Amino acid sequence: SWNIFRPLRLLSTATRSLARGDFAAPRPEEGRDEIGRLAGAFGRMRSDLQTARDKLAARERFLTTLLDRVTVGVAVIDAEGRTVTLNPTGMTILADFYPAEEAESALGRLVGDFDKHSLGAPGPDGETRTGEFRSPDGRRTVRGARAPLVLGDDRVDVMLVFEDITEFLATKKMAINAELARQVAHEIKNPLTPIQLSVQLLDQARRDGHPDLDRIMGDTVARVLDQVTLLRSIAGEFSLLGRPDDVETVPIDLRDLVTEVAAGYGAPPVGSEEDQEAAGAQVPRVRIADAVLPAIAAHRDSLQKILGNLMQNSLDAAQPGRPVSVEVEWRVEPDFVTMVWSDDGAGLPAEVADRLFDPYFSTKSKGTGLGLAICRNLADRMGGHITLANRDDGPGAVAELTLPTGTPEERDPEDS
């Protein structure tokens, strides 16, 4: 009986030790009888568990090292809002973004601000979102993405990956300014060449006593004035890009302003078929959807500039032989209003879609190529954004202009 009892007692003790994490407790010798085979099976199981634990520990060390050295913030928050994981880079970003708050409190605020400011449609799982917003003092900008982290036992945490892009934006802005300086010098140089040649030809004709001097002078003056007009246009467009970053915003009825701009191009304010026919075939046909919209916070002159540019682009894209038709619809969100501007023109070449907002890039043979760059710049300064793409439901282009609602006093400092 002792030969049976002693191995079983050793096996029981080893089992309890294994439960406490001790993989080295003595166990019975492996043998051919039932107890010996049981001891052998226990030994192999314990060895497999030891191997799995070592692999898991190595994996955990790898993930810890990765999170410690990665250059973006990574955080995991449980369903109760408690911090599960926050890597060192994330702590640094939070300290810069919310300097007066502790790490856990700052992370909770970051998640709330992220949910408030995230833009774009949810991802395939319905919950993944991306966003970009400024710190309360307006000095730093963070960009990130959040997604559900599905774990066992029906547990779903939230993972947030974020980065401070302040320096990146500053570098990008410097590069854009350098490119703008180069481009504007090039654009100014172009009109100066025909002005110089025209004046030289006129001076030569004067010195030669040319019999058609009066005609040459008239042609020269006309060419010079045309080029001066172009120079004024370039200077005016460039001055808009050089405005201060902050623009003063006031409450504006966006639908009324769209109607006013459309009327300035000869389009009737109502937009019915009868009104369009009465206006004539050469004016744009504009349909403005009825909607009760909250006031937006915008700079009126800047907004008029954007709307005028959209109208002119639609007119320039008109199909030969018929006026362009424009439809204006609305999307209203808690903090934003989006104007959806669609036309039935020629649309946009697919190969240039990612360059449309670049300064001095244009698909047209006339103009300065600054229009859309200015539109994006002005929309950004008003706290909104603008996109342009081809329509999915037929020929033509669609622009979406999103602007914040409310008055400047009603909005949080980081919204501006």
Side-chain angles (χ1 to χ4, degrees):
S1 62
W2 176 250
N3 291 334
I4 297 175
F5 175 74
R6 183 177 179 279
L8 289 177
R9 187 176 67 175
L10 282 174
L11 190 59
S12 176
T13 302
T15 302
R16 289 194 297 271
S17 298
L18 181 62
R20 294 192 299 269
D22 181 5
F23 287 78
R27 65 176 178 84
E29 294 292 333
E30 187 174 349
R32 294 183 178 181
D33 58 9
E34 286 80 0
I35 295 177
R37 288 195 294 270
L38 179 61
F42 176 82
R44 289 188 294 274
M45 179 196 71
R46 189 168 69 174
S47 178
D48 291 343
L49 285 175
Q50 177 73 56
T51 301
R53 188 181 74 162
D54 291 345
K55 289 182 178 179
L56 184 61
R59 184 71 173 175
E60 184 175 350
R61 288 193 298 271
F62 170 76
L63 290 176
T64 299
T65 303
L66 182 65
L67 289 177
D68 286 346
R69 297 184 179 181
V70 74
T71 57
V72 298
V74 179
V76 177
I77 305 99
D78 65 17
E80 285 73 36
R82 295 188 295 263
T83 302
V84 178
T85 298
L86 177 61
N87 71 334
T89 302
M91 293 181 184
T92 301
I93 295 174
L94 290 174
D96 292 338
F97 217 68
Y98 307 109
E101 301 190 29
E102 297 294 331
E104 185 152 355
S105 173
L107 180 59
R109 184 169 178 185
L110 180 72
V111 172
D113 286 345
F114 182 87
D115 291 341
K116 180 180 178 182
H117 295 279
S118 59
L119 300 174
D125 57 11
E127 297 183 41
T128 301
R129 299 188 68 88
T130 60
E132 180 180 309
F133 55 96
R134 294 181 181 178
S135 60
D137 60 10
R139 296 180 179 179
R140 309 201 71 83
T141 302
V142 72
R143 176 173 59 194
R146 64 168 294 173
L149 190 62
V150 181
L151 306 171
D153 301 327
D154 297 326
R155 176 183 164 192
V156 181
D157 289 350
V158 173
M159 182 172 68
L160 183 65
V161 179
F162 53 98
E163 60 179 334
D164 188 332
I165 60 171
T166 306
E167 301 301 327
F168 166 76
L169 292 178
T171 302
K172 182 180 178 181
K173 186 173 182 179
M174 289 178 62
I176 290 176
N177 288 340
E179 176 64 14
L180 283 175
R182 186 188 70 81
Q183 290 282 8
V184 77
H186 175 74
E187 292 297 319
I188 289 176
K189 181 180 178 181
N190 286 342
L192 290 178
T193 299
I195 289 176
Q196 180 183 10
L197 291 174
S198 297
V199 172
Q200 287 174 343
L201 289 173
L202 177 61
D203 182 59
Q204 184 66 43
R206 179 191 61 80
R207 286 189 282 108
D208 294 343
H210 199 286
D212 290 334
L213 181 60
D214 289 343
R215 178 187 60 79
I216 294 174
M217 179 176 290
D219 292 343
T220 300
V221 170
R223 281 194 296 270
V224 169
L225 290 178
D226 285 343
Q227 298 304 315
V228 169
T229 300
L230 179 57
L231 283 171
R232 287 184 179 274
S233 176
I234 293 172
E237 300 284 6
F238 190 71
S239 68
L240 286 174
L241 287 175
R243 282 182 176 176
D245 286 339
D246 297 329
V247 294
E248 183 179 354
T249 60
V250 297
I252 292 176
D253 187 316
L254 181 56
R255 189 181 186 280
D256 283 354
L257 188 58
V258 172
T259 302
E260 178 183 323
V261 171
Y265 284 81
V270 176
S272 67
E273 288 289 347
E274 294 79 7
D275 292 329
Q276 300 290 1
E277 291 176 2
Q282 302 305 314
V283 300
R285 301 187 177 188
V286 182
R287 292 177 178 273
I288 303 173
D290 289 328
V292 178
L293 305 177
I296 61 167
H299 183 259
R300 187 178 181 86
D301 290 346
S302 298
L303 190 51
Q304 284 180 319
K305 175 66 179 178
I306 294 174
L307 295 175
N309 190 276
L310 292 177
M311 179 65 81
Q312 189 59 55
N313 284 347
S314 293
L315 290 171
D316 292 341
Q319 302 284 2
R322 65 183 181 89
V324 68
S325 293
V326 174
E327 295 183 3
V328 181
E329 298 178 330
W330 316 98
R331 288 201 310 269
V332 180
E333 302 173 66
D335 298 316
F336 294 92
V337 171
T338 297
M339 178 195 71
V340 182
W341 178 291
S342 306
D343 64 40
D344 62 351
L348 307 167
E351 65 273 12
V352 302
D354 60 342
R355 299 187 58 197
L356 291 171
F357 290 95
D358 289 353
Y360 293 103
F361 177 80
S362 178
T363 59
K364 297 180 286 188
S365 59
K366 59 181 180 178
T368 63
L370 282 172
L372 288 176
I374 290 171
C375 288
R376 170 165 286 184
N377 185 278
L378 295 177
D380 289 345
R381 289 175 179 174
M382 291 186 288
H385 59 95
I386 185 171
T387 62
L388 184 62
N390 282 321
R391 296 178 62 166
D392 294 329
D393 56 351
V398 55
E400 295 192 4
L401 173 64
T402 300
L403 292 166
T405 59
T407 64
E409 293 78 13
E410 292 172 345
R411 305 181 65 227
D412 293 335
E414 62 263 38
D415 291 345
S416 57

